[in-house]
Amino acid sequence: MVTASPLTLGVVGGGQLGRMLAEAASPLGVELVVLDPTPDCPASLVARDQIVGDFDDEEAIRELAERSDALTFEIELADPDVLEAVGEEYDVPVHPDPATLRTIQDKLVQKRALQDRGIPVPDFRPVDSREDLLEAGEEFGYPMMLKARRGGYDGRGNVPVEDEDDVDNALSQVSGELMVEEFVPFERELSVIAVKGDDEVATFPVGENVHEEEILRQTVVPARTSDEVRERAEDVAREVLSALSGRGTYGIELFEGEDGDISVNEIAPRPHNSGHYTIEGALTSQFEQHARGVLGYPLGATDLRGPVVSSNILGDVDEPETAALSGVEGVLSSDGAAFHWYGKRQVRPLRKMGHVTLVGDDLDADDESTLTDLLEEARELTDSLTFQ
Amino acid sequence: MVTASPLTLGVVGGGQLGRMLAEAASPLGVELVVLDPTPDCPASLVARDQIVGDFDDEEAIRELAERSDALTFEIELADPDVLEAVGEEYDVPVHPDPATLRTIQDKLVQKRALQDRGIPVPDFRPVDSREDLLEAGEEFGYPMMLKARRGGYDGRGNVPVEDEDDVDNALSQVSGELMVEEFVPFERELSVIAVKGDDEVATFPVGENVHEEEILRQTVVPARTSDEVRERAEDVAREVLSALSGRGTYGIELFEGEDGDISVNEIAPRPHNSGHYTIEGALTSQFEQHARGVLGYPLGATDLRGPVVSSNILGDVDEPETAALSGVEGVLSSDGAAFHWYGKRQVRPLRKMGHVTLVGDDLDADDESTLTDLLEEARELTDSLTFQ
C-alpha cells in the first residue's frame, strides 16, 4: 500500500537528471538527497539536501543510505559494488539493481547479456590487441566502431575505424579495455523510454533521435517511421527490460536498419536525454515514472499529449565561462514551448545546459511533414539562444 | 531581454503555494529562498534555502532581499510596509506591489477600491458598533455576512448574521475591525486566475468552486455555466487586475448571481487554491505564470488541455497528528489523475495537505454532465484517501 509521508530518495549524482527527478518527485511527496562532488550541483538547488562527495565515496554513500528510504543513481559512474554492499548493510532497496548497473557499465558485458537473451545487437567482439582489431576488420568489414568498454558518453570513447590503415590512429584515440562493433548502416536512431515497476512494465511511444557531432540534439515523438517499425522497437525494448533486474526508468537506444530491422545500440539504467519530452509531451514524465518505479508505486499513463520535440541547449562557447543564456524571451513567448534550464553555473563547449520542448496542437498529427515542421520550429527556438 | 543565469526569487511564506512555486520555477532556472517561521516548511524542501523567521521580521526580510533578485509573497500575512521599505533600501523589485497587498489585506479597503473603479461588489459597510450592524440589517436585510476586515481565511472570520436576534451572537464570534456585506443569493461561486505581466495580462478559463463547511473542496474548469456568464466573469477579472498594481498571479473569487450577474467576492494577490488545476490542466501553470510575471518575463499560454477538476486533500483527523496518508495507489493508478502532496509533517483537522487533479480525455467535452462526472470521479479519488 502506498502511504504518503515524508519519504527520502537518495540519489547518486546531482546533474540535470537528478534535478528533473527532484522537480517530478516533489508533488509525490518524495524528497531527494543527492550525492555529488560539485557544490551547488544542478539537483542540489531543488533537492532537500546535497552530500558533497565523490560518486564512489563509500562513507558518503553510507551517509546517503542512512538518510534514505530507497537509493537510486542518475549516472552510470555510480559504483555498483559499494551500492550493493551499503544497500544490504542499511537494508535500503537500491533500484535499478546494482547488478544491472554492473552489466550496463561494461559495454561488452552489456552486449553479451543482450545477445544471450536473443535480443538483436550489432556484431561485436572484444579487442585486447591490434591483431584483434585487424581480425575484426576481416570479419565485419570497414568501417567499424571501436569503443571503450567503460565510461564513454556523448560519443566520447567511440571511434570509427575507416579501414585497415586507420587502425593505429583509432587505437590512439581510446584507452582502457576495448571492444569493436560492426557498423550498422541505420536508417535512423530510435529510442524507447521504458519503465519497470513492481509487477508491471510501461513504455513510452517510440522517439527518433537527431544527432550532430555525436551529440543528441533533438528527439521527435512519435518517430517518423512505420507503425510496424515502432511496434518492433517497443517489442525489443520490452525484451531488454525483461533481461534487466531492478525497477526504474531505462533509456534504450536502438538502430532502425535499412530493412526496418531493429537492433540495440545502448542502454542507460536511468532517465535519458531522449525522454525529456515526456515532461510536457506525455501524461506522466520519465522522471515521475522513475520515482514511482524505484519506490514500487503504480506506474502512470504514458500516452502522448500531442506530437512533441525536445531540443537540447548546448554550450556555444569556445572556452568555459560563467553561464548566462540570452534570448530566452523567444522561447517563453512561443505557444506550446517549454523552457528547461539546468542551473549549471558554468557553460563549456557543447555542455548540455538546458532544453526546449515543443508540443504540437493536433493530437493526431503524427504525419511526417508535421513532425518535420515541429523539429524545425524547435531547432529555430534553440538556435535563437546563445551564451555569447 | 530575458537572460537565464542563476536568479533568486525571495518569497515571504513557505507553505504549499511556495512549494508549488518552487517546483514550477526550477525549470525556468529560478531558484527560491523562502522566509517562514516553521523549519522544514513545505516550500523549504524544494527551495534552494529557507530563512527561518516570522513573516514580518524586518531583519529576516532584509536578509531575504540581500539574497534575491526579486521579492514576492505567498501569504497575505506578509507586511507591506516592511516589504516596501526593504525593497527600496536594497533596490529589489517587489511584486505584486506592497500597496496592492495593503489594499487587499483590509477587506473594507479592498471592496472600496473595487467600488471606486465601478467594479460590481456586494453592498457593504464598516461596522464599528452594535448599532452599525443593526442599521446595516435595516438597509441590507437578513441574512448578512459579518466579516473581520483582516486575517480571515478558509471562512474563518466570516460569520452569517441570520436576523436581528443573532447580532450579539455573531459579534461574539469575530474580533478586530469589522465590516458587513449583504448576502448574495448566488447561483455558484466562480473563480478566475489572472496574471499581470510586464505589459500584458493573461486570464485562465473560468473555474467553478465547490465549497463545504466554508472550505474549498473542488474546482471544476470550465465552470458549468453559460458562455455569456464566463465572458462576463473574465471581463470583471480583467477590470480587477487593472485596478491593482504589481505583476504576478491573482486569484479572483466571484459570485454568479441568480440572474447571471457577476460580483467580486474576494481577491488574493498570489496563486490561489482554485488555480491548482492549471498545473496539469493548462499549458502553463499559475505558479509558472507567477514566476514569469514577477520577473517580467513573457507570460505563457493559458489554454486548457482538457476539462479538469482539482480536489483538495484535507485532514480527516480529530486531533493533530503526524501525517501519513493511506490509499495513494488508487490515485496513482488512475489515468489522467495527478497527485500533489505538500510535505506537511503534521495533519490537523481540515488542514490542506495536498490535492488531486483529474484531466478529462476530451478537449471539447465541456458539457455539464461530463464535468459533473469528472467532479464525482475526482471526489471519489480524494475520498479514498485517509489519514486515519
Side-chain angles (χ1 to χ4, degrees), chain B residues 247-312:
Chain B
R247 302 190 301 253
T249 294
Y250 294 78
I252 302 168
E253 293 181 298
L254 305 164
F255 292 126
E256 176 189 338
E258 285 168 342
D259 302 327
D261 55 306
I262 297 292
S263 58
V264 177
N265 180 16
E266 274 176 27
I267 303 167
R270 51 164 175 80
H272 190 260
N273 191 166
S274 66
H276 293 353
Y277 77 87
T278 57
I279 299 175
E280 290 84 15
L283 288 188
T284 315
S285 84
Q286 65 166 348
F287 298 101
E288 180 172 341
Q289 295 281 45
H290 189 66
R292 288 179 181 230
V294 167
L295 296 167
Y297 291 2
L299 301 179
T302 56
D303 311 65
L304 286 190
R305 286 185 169 138
V308 54
V309 168
S310 67
S311 281
N312 283 336

